[in-house]
Amino acid sequence: MTVTISSRGLPGIGVCQELELADGSRLGIVTRRSGKRDLLVYGADDPDAASARVVLTEPEANAVAEILGGPQLLTALAGLHGDGLVVEQLPVPPSSPYAGRPLGDTRARTRTGASIVAVLRDSTAITSPGPEFGLRGGDLIAVVGTQAAVDQLAAILDGTNGTNGTDRTDATPPAS
């Protein structure tokens, strides 16, 4: 099914983007100049009258975007199995030497060649976490790399690589 998104300016307010849903109704997303977003549902019987409205603050809109975008990102990444790449979700055990530490401390990309593309925490996907992002026990890390690189990162996260997180050779680890 192809989804078509139409966009129209709302003078003095912002922009409204709409998409037609399978049942004939439409979903409208108004992006206000203030940063707030309105989610509107238009019924199929009256395309000009919104039957429901939810106003979101900018942080709330960003959280909804993460909820909706995170699974889409992981689904897209799962299709990258060409050229020997795998996508896996690795747990951060509570006993991990990196639980409670910044992601950059793992030096994942430098040490393994694997890329951490998202962290799944409490049913929320945090996409493209930076090196300062704090890991917690119970997090799931979405990783892209060769199978060997992913396996090596799993050993780093669970502390079975023999270094217990203390193998840093420099004072400021590179971004993961």
Side-chain angles (χ1 to χ4, degrees), residues 42-127:
Y42 300 95
D45 54 333
D46 187 353
D48 295 324
S51 60
R53 176 180 175 213
V54 176
V55 178
L56 302 173
T57 63
E58 190 168 359
E60 293 166 339
N62 289 336
V64 170
E66 284 188 28
I67 291 167
L68 296 175
Q72 290 294 326
L73 171 67
L74 296 179
T75 300
L77 289 172
L80 294 178
H81 290 285
D83 299 327
L85 290 178
V86 297
V87 178
E88 288 193 24
Q89 292 180 22
L90 302 176
V92 177
S95 61
S96 170
Y98 296 99
R101 290 175 58 187
L103 177 62
D105 283 1
T106 65
R107 297 179 54 224
R109 189 177 311 130
T110 302
R111 293 167 67 187
T112 69
S115 293
I116 296 172
V117 297
V119 176
L120 307 172
R121 175 181 291 160
D122 300 327
S123 302
T124 300
I126 297 96
T127 56

Side-chain angles (χ1 to χ4, degrees), residues 6-66:
S6 61
S7 182
R8 59 187 165 96
L10 301 173
I13 298 172
V15 176
C16 181
Q17 295 175 301
E18 297 177 346
L19 62 122
E20 189 167 338
L21 304 177
D23 66 359
S25 62
R26 289 186 349 264
L27 176 65
I29 302 165
V30 175
T31 303
R32 295 177 175 270
R33 291 182 181 158
S34 66
K36 287 187 178 181
R37 307 289 195 287
D38 295 2
L39 301 179
L40 306 166
V41 178
Y42 300 95
D45 54 333
D46 187 353
D48 295 324
S51 60
R53 176 180 175 213
V54 176
V55 178
L56 302 173
T57 63
E58 190 168 359
E60 293 166 339
N62 289 336
V64 170
E66 284 188 28

